[in-house]
Amino acid sequence: MLNWLKRPKFDATVERREMPSGLWEKCPRCAQIIYVKELERNAKVCPKCGWHHRLSAAERLSLVVDEGTFEEWDGGMTSLDPLSFPKYAEKAREARAQTGSDDAVITGEGPILDVRAAVGAMDFTFMGGSMGAVVGERITRMFERARERGLPVITFSASGGARMQEGAISLMQLAKTSAAVGRLHDARLPFISVLCDPTTGGTTASFAMLGDVHIAEPGALIGFAGRRVIEQTINQKLPDNFQTAEFLQKHGMIDMIVPRTDLKEALARLLRLMLPHQPAQDARERNDDRAVAGR
Amino acid sequence: MLNWLKRPKFDATVERREMPSGLWEKCPRCAQIIYVKELERNAKVCPKCGWHHRLSAAERLSLVVDEGTFEEWDGGMTSLDPLSFPKYAEKAREARAQTGSDDAVITGEGPILDVRAAVGAMDFTFMGGSMGAVVGERITRMFERARERGLPVITFSASGGARMQEGAISLMQLAKTSAAVGRLHDARLPFISVLCDPTTGGTTASFAMLGDVHIAEPGALIGFAGRRVIEQTINQKLPDNFQTAEFLQKHGMIDMIVPRTDLKEALARLLRLMLPHQPAQDARERNDDRAVAGR
Amino acid sequence: MIEPSLAADAPRDEIERRLRQTEDELAQLSKISGGQELDLKDQIARLRARVDALRAALWRDPTPWQIVQVARHAERPKLPDYLSALFSDVVELRGDRLFADDRAIFCGLARFDGRAVAVIGHNKGKDTRENLERRWGMPNPDGYRKAIRVARLAEKIGVPVVALVDTPAAYPGIEAEQRGQAEAIARSILVMSQLRAPIVVAITGEGGSGGALAIAVGDRLLMMQYAIYSVIPPEGCAAILWRDAARKEEAAAALRLTAPDLLAAGIVDEIVPEPTGGAHLDAPTAIAALRDALRRALDAVREEEVPALLSERYAKFRRIGPFAG
Amino acid sequence: MIEPSLAADAPRDEIERRLRQTEDELAQLSKISGGQELDLKDQIARLRARVDALRAALWRDPTPWQIVQVARHAERPKLPDYLSALFSDVVELRGDRLFADDRAIFCGLARFDGRAVAVIGHNKGKDTRENLERRWGMPNPDGYRKAIRVARLAEKIGVPVVALVDTPAAYPGIEAEQRGQAEAIARSILVMSQLRAPIVVAITGEGGSGGALAIAVGDRLLMMQYAIYSVIPPEGCAAILWRDAARKEEAAAALRLTAPDLLAAGIVDEIVPEPTGGAHLDAPTAIAALRDALRRALDAVREEEVPALLSERYAKFRRIGPFAG
Ligand SMILES: [Zn+2]
Ligand SMILES: [Zn+2]
């Protein structure tokens, strides 16, 4: 029997970004030519080399949230240009047009194998997943609402850091989101942070590194300072595995590295363990549930 | 004007161990011959090389507690021999006779430059300052009583670790004393741990490493595992400064290294800072106090 | 005499060899008997009796040193055996969020009897590669700091901690001292003593000094019948006491490190029975006994309110330590 | 025109050189005047006017980039200057109790106006040796972890935290990444946001991104008039935006990193005035101004109950960040 998790379909309920045109695509890691439909069927994990291709926020949500159940929170928020920063308004407009998203994060509620959770997914394709006022506000509201409603939180980070174009305002989003995480912890609600490729800068230095459990995707780039800045500062080459998920795990920062195809099940298992009043469910029961509910 | 702190006298109110016979002594570090009275006048800091010679618990207390004010707690407790351990009863008897102490620690209350505090001083000359049931019980009672009376605690550790001859009972003293420290912290009372030469093994792995502030004497040996055990395990020589106070400070474990002659003043200053409802006192006032009180 | 060729003072490994041989014969015979319906009852009964007698011979009035050897036995069940047999839905949590992921201590979430718990345990290896990676189950400071982190998570989410203790000692290495081995052990002891979640500890093999105690402060302390718990390894004790590590048998006896000794001293709450000769001779039976004991202990501590739990936990350690005067 | 030989667009360092020269002359003249009772009043007044004019010239409508240069000025007052001038009974507390003592962050207890406070601050060096040891005030993870430890101590003993911010950035090094630079900054932000003690922060020089923010979450945020606070150094911003670090002046302007910008954005609560041209030209005046501001801020936050303090602290950061929709 095929495990449906190994063949996730993207959810039509969440707005979806088009794939690059054409039926074939070149894997940026192994350089093999892959049939795009095959890549999509495999949750965008390269069938040749296992490389986890980047996902949009919508794709991400469709992979983990039970089909057809995602309820978006705080949609329709878009960035202002509080500093009148050169070209920012234009760039943001373009990003909205290209991605079809309001900004670099989607937040909302959706069950994961029937466990209710607040979920936030960042989108690296939207201005490098940078965190400005909109991202900070949506993430913060998500933590606050989860706390009010007694929900656990899962974030999928994919971000180059704070959004330079909003200056110190973007820096303050680190404080805002981290403080909101602190309040969720106080309410004894679980927070699982999934660090996707790439998660760097201010995003890593705030909510993304404050989970009860840290999951990373294989090979994901995770770090604080940029590679080039470090090389310039210390004037030496960095090791190859530097700032990979595997490097961070060795250094105590990551609990598990989970292949994308196993992620949904891993999240549901963890959530059930961390919400001790949720009943345990073994895989067979879950499959039965799915068969009955037809989701 | 001579700073009286630089010329501390040992306090006659605390029972006092005799110096090795003779007027002259050889410094174990610089090998110079020192006039014993000079060494004593200098708080047993070698006037040639600065080496901090080991002190008995009584000498230690007389150096820091205001003269004539120390009130001992829980005196008269002596060790049983719960395991009927080979030669333990005999060794303990000898240690009591030689040191004139009940066991390897003295605890009690005594103001330090007029700041009330609970104070415990270990005695390395009593069976290597090892912590068995008596040491564990006295330390624990001291933390408990300090908590009841709202006093800060200062410990002076000098110990090879748990007392082997009491088997797992001595190991449990680590848990007992550490739990008592935890309760003092909960009561928001300060705990200053002064690590003296040597502090190793189970003593380091319990109350002595749980202070709000860690002070060490210069050059003091502080560590967990014994040098030889480490050398045998890793099969290599250890660096010279390994497990010195300076080494530990570099590695983040020690707040300050304070020469013995400055210790009393440093402790009083810290206590006043950490008991914010205690008034500040500058040095002049303190000297005036002393002059008036004649202590 | 079942085994006439075996001398009364035959060495341990010789008895063990024969025992295994007889067990193999017995297994083969039982298989043949079951498959082919032959009547081999008598022969099987004879072999079975021989097995029992050999085990008993192996284990007639064991000395403390023999118990030390069983506690350290290479084939004694280890953390992975308990994990797979006693727990389901095991999710390992790695890293101290400070410096490293110490492989000598396992931490995770799992289900015991279907209910969520946090598991913390020393993780000895099965082979040389694993033993090197895990330093023979001897933790570095990072290991205790990971344990503290996961214990605090258990506290947050409201699940009990199950700690499985099996370590020769805290790792005596340069880096361990550099990163504060003593501080990490002390901090772990303090945190566990105040953790607002139930903690059940089982010493399954070696309870080696501070390295064991760091994760052995809890509400119930179970101890496998042939586990040991000691302030110092017998070899180290002998070396200090008599300047002769070879007198480890004497030291093992002097240290009172067996389960009955520790029960008598009020340190251990319950002894978990092992099969004759030790858990390595019949792991499933030993593991099942631990399951029963853990179940009872967890049921008991889950019933209690946190403040009562904390007072009793404090009192438990508070009263250990006899003195005169 | 006081200084006819000085062109209107004379470079900064030329004006500074002349200013110092005139100041020296003035000092010498004043000394002579005082000692020998000569009437040099006119001459002194002339020199004094020239000094003021030079300063004003130096500081006529400074560009953001000029302010960046002042904020980074080698002779700008640094932590040790503030420590010795504003605090008494200073006791340094060292080490994170985990790995190291980061010299790029100072922590300690001290008295301000006679009352105990904890002090946390970036610690730039005065010379090459100090700068190497302190990584030019750029902290490693150990620095933030020390700050967390000392902040928790302040919380325990019930004294406010005074944080003095002056760092180019978190240190971009291999070891910093290995030991979790991101985790340490995030944790420090979280801890400070929930610390049950008042926190007053002053940005005295460079407020460099995450390395600054880690110790800049508090109840009051003061900012010296010519300090900067930015999400990225102008050079880095220019390199990313225009692939040309030389366009740092433009970037400095675009980033809105000056005190008035940050006051307008609701990030900074109060600007602490500096002498014309910057604190390095008259350190005592600058330090005295910070004393006044700190005093007012501490008096205000000490009055508040902890729960109110925490709600307001949360709300303060909560409201930063304008958006549409
Ligand atoms: Zn590929
Ligand atoms: Zn000497």
Side-chain angles (χ1 to χ4, degrees), chain A residues 142-160:
Chain A
M142 175 182 59
F143 278 100
E144 288 175 342
R145 201 167 292 138
R147 178 166 170 256
E148 283 157 23
R149 300 187 184 175
L151 296 176
V153 175
I154 298 172
T155 59
F156 298 91
S157 52
S159 166

Side-chain angles (χ1 to χ4, degrees), chain B residues 185 188-189 211-212 252 255, chain D residues 94 97 99 149 155-156:
Chain B
H185 285 315
R188 306 178 66 179
L189 290 163
D212 292 310
D255 290 288
Chain D
R94 290 174 61 168
R97 299 280 169 88
F99 186 83
R149 174 173 85 83
E155 182 177 56
K156 173 186 158 171

